[in-house]
Amino acid sequence: MTAEPASGGRRRRASELALFGGPPAFAEPLHVGSPNIGDRDRLMERIGGLLDRRWLTNEGPLVREFEEAVAAFLGVRHCVAMSSGTVALQIAIRAAGMIGETLVSPLTFVATVHALQWQGLTPRFCDVDPATHNLDPHRVEEMITPRTTGILGVHLWGRPCAIEALTAIAERRGLTLIFDAAHAFGCSHRGQMIGAFGRAEVLSFHATKFVNTFEGGAIVTNDDDLAERARLMRNHGFADYDEVSCVGTNGKMSEVAAAMGLTSLEARDRFYDDNRRNYDAYRAGLEGIGGVDLIAYDEDELCNRNYVVIEVDESASLARDDLQRLLWAENVLARRYFFPGCHRAEPYRSLFPRAGLELPETERLTGRLLALPTGTAMDAASIDVVTDLIRRAMAGGPQLSRRLQMARSAAADISTPGGG
Ligand code: T4K
């Protein structure tokens, strides 16, 4: 499936924008995170097989095959598949024996931080490097106290953290280092696939991810003991029939999820290619628009480019939120990932009301970032329309800003009791 521009790709004047009453540029919504889907026949064949076997979950053959395929692809000894990336994070934290205070980036999906809190740890928000959007190792070093026991790095947008610097800090200061690699499946760092760094890395195979299992996740690690503990914990602690060896939960991946995972994995070359094509089309289309910067990926590394993210800075003639409003009216459902930052989400906002003061880069970025639709559902023609909308919006300048302001006031008026 590809997106269908409703305007037939025709360039539109500012007065024709949907926000001001024109028809939307796209008849159907374009989603950030629209799933990448592999070969349907192969998927149906696998689903037929699991139904015939009557083996639906609990370490079935498809899950084992998926785990082996992921471990081989990443060049890592163990892959322990889970029901979601969130559960995989929770189990990784517990299986690594983490307790106490852990330094974590606030510029991430809230699941990263919730996993620490859920396990009874205390997240300590540490600012990011504005160039990479990942933990700034200098800030990490400065924030370590006698209570610090771990670091949870996030390879945001699939761009690797400062892995060497964080590893050196963790070793020197005796901290446990794990990575949230939810965005980074299929990405490499210095020629080595993400997955083998730190004590463990956690993948997400959610529907919106590069490779998906509908819902799913995994812990990948070269640590034999950690992998063994994680396997027990994901299945209620069962070491054998009737033998429970530790506290556990239900974090198992189902067979139908693994069927989707194997089928997605087989299609990964197409996913890489489509995302690369989309990214290049965005880069060409956004070229030269003042105040709008597309985040860059390292051309020397393997990269899934599953997130196309722009930074809209103060020099742009429209603010990020106005641009988003304008795009939504056109059915381009751009997302403000990860606004407003985890430190401003509950319970962290109440627990750490002053956290923002120590997070200037995060605060700045959460006001600027906008994720645009990509993935196999997008095509270059639709991206041309999207980038043209952005170009027009930015060229509309103060006049467009005023019209947006008027549109906002009118909306507020309507929602006010007694308003017109
Ligand atoms: N760590 C990081 C860094 C993460 O980004 C995530 C998840 C996790 C950990 C946790 O992993 P999981 O437990 O989820 O495996 C979405 C995803 O639900 C979430 O998995 C993902 N990160 C996050 C970045 O995006 P929301 O709250 O934005 O979901 P929602 O419902 O708004 O959907 C996202 C977009 O995808 C929408 O534009 C609609 C579109 N979509 C979604 C689904 C499910 C589709 O087009 N088709 C679909 O089937 O969190």
Side-chain angles (χ1 to χ4, degrees):
M1 187 198 96
T2 51
E4 202 52 51
S7 62
R10 185 175 63 80
R11 310 248 185 258
R12 285 139 45 96
R13 286 192 296 277
S15 58
E16 293 177 300
L17 291 169
L19 198 65
F20 308 118
F26 295 92
E28 298 293 328
L30 300 186
H31 289 287
V32 169
S34 182
N36 296 329
I37 302 198
D39 185 278
R40 284 167 194 237
D41 293 341
R42 232 6 230 128
L43 175 63
M44 294 309 164
E45 213 176 291
R46 285 192 165 106
I47 293 176
L50 75 89
L51 294 176
D52 290 345
R53 277 192 298 281
R54 292 177 187 274
W55 196 274
L56 307 188
T57 184
N58 291 17
E59 325 225 355
L62 292 178
V63 168
R64 282 203 298 276
E65 190 184 338
F66 181 63
E67 290 181 335
E68 278 163 24
V70 169
F73 176 46
L74 302 185
V76 66
R77 272 215 297 282
H78 306 280
C79 168
V80 187
M82 304 270 175
S83 51
S84 71
T86 302
V87 167
L89 273 168
Q90 292 165 357
I91 292 182
I93 290 162
R94 197 178 264 267
M98 293 171 80
I99 49 165
E101 290 190 2
T102 294
L103 298 176
V104 64
S105 163
L107 188 61
T108 180
F109 189 57
V110 73
T112 314
V113 182
H114 277 346
L116 292 168
Q117 185 78 10
W118 194 263
Q119 291 305 314
L121 279 76
T122 304
R124 290 272 290 136
F125 294 113
C126 177
D127 212 359
V128 297
D129 177 340
T132 64
H133 303 180
N134 289 324
L135 275 180
D136 177 344
H138 301 293
R139 289 295 295 137
V140 167
E141 186 97 60
E142 284 165 7
M143 285 193 68
I144 294 172
T145 70
R147 291 185 303 279
T148 312
T149 55
I151 304 170
L152 172 46
V154 183
H155 307 299
L156 200 72
W157 322 130
R159 301 195 296 185
C161 283
I163 293 175
E164 285 71 23
L166 293 177
T167 305
I169 294 170
E171 280 172 4
R172 198 162 8 91
R173 309 294 290 262
L175 307 175
T176 303
L177 172 65
I178 64 172
F179 290 106
D180 177 338
H183 295 185
F185 183 70
C187 301
S188 68
H189 173 67
R190 301 194 177 168
Q192 158 76 54
M193 297 302 282
I194 296 287
F197 298 106
R199 281 284 301 284
E201 302 208 58
V202 171
L203 306 170
S204 167
F205 297 115
H206 182 263
T208 54
K209 294 298 185 289
F210 180 58
V211 158
N212 84 83
T213 59
F214 302 119
E215 288 272 7
I219 297 174
V220 280
T221 181
N222 283 321
D223 182 325
D224 299 344
D225 293 337
L226 191 152
E228 179 55 26
R229 277 194 298 279
R231 272 186 198 288
L232 292 169
M233 286 175 181
R234 82 167 169 191
N235 187 20
H236 314 282
F238 276 111
D240 204 342
Y241 286 124
D242 313 325
E243 190 197 331
V244 176
S245 63
C246 62
V247 68
T249 184
N250 182 356
K252 290 163 288 166
M253 178 177 276
S254 69
E255 285 289 273
V256 73
M260 183 67 164
L262 285 163
T263 311
S264 305
L265 208 49
E266 282 165 1
R268 65 180 179 270
D269 287 344
R270 176 162 62 83
F271 300 168
Y272 277 119
D273 290 349
D274 284 6
N275 278 354
R276 153 65 86 170
R277 175 205 62 209
N278 293 348
Y279 179 83
D280 289 346
Y282 273 114
R283 187 164 51 188
L286 295 170
E287 174 113 46
I289 304 181
V292 175
D293 275 320
L294 177 65
I295 66 160
Y297 291 107
D298 187 339
E299 292 293 331
D300 296 331
E301 299 289 349
L302 199 56
C303 179
N304 63 36
R305 291 178 175 75
N306 210 45
Y307 289 91
V308 169
V309 179
I310 54 173
E311 268 186 56
V312 182
D313 69 31
E314 295 72 29
S315 70
S317 53
L318 269 192
R320 186 270 314 266
D321 289 359
D322 279 342
L323 177 62
Q324 188 200 28
R325 227 168 261 129
L326 195 138
L327 290 173
W328 272 60
E330 305 288 352
N331 256 336
V332 180
L333 306 190
R335 296 291 298 265
R336 297 186 295 179
Y337 286 150
F338 286 104
F339 177 83
C342 296
H343 60 297
R344 293 193 175 275
E346 292 295 1
Y348 317 107
R349 182 171 55 200
S350 298
L351 289 171
F352 315 111
R354 295 169 63 78
L357 296 174
E358 292 185 350
L359 303 167
E361 299 301 344
T362 302
E363 294 268 286
R364 203 174 48 82
L365 284 165
T366 52
R368 289 178 164 201
L369 298 175
L370 194 63
L372 301 172
T374 187
T376 54
M378 283 295 279
D379 58 26
S382 304
I383 291 168
D384 198 30
V385 175
V386 175
T387 55
D388 187 59
L389 283 167
I390 297 174
R391 187 174 294 279
R392 273 174 197 263
M394 290 303 171
Q399 210 186 346
L400 192 56
S401 282
R402 266 197 305 279
R403 294 191 68 164
L404 275 157
Q405 179 64 44
M406 278 158 60
R408 270 200 304 274
S409 314
D413 211 26
I414 290 165
S415 62
T416 311

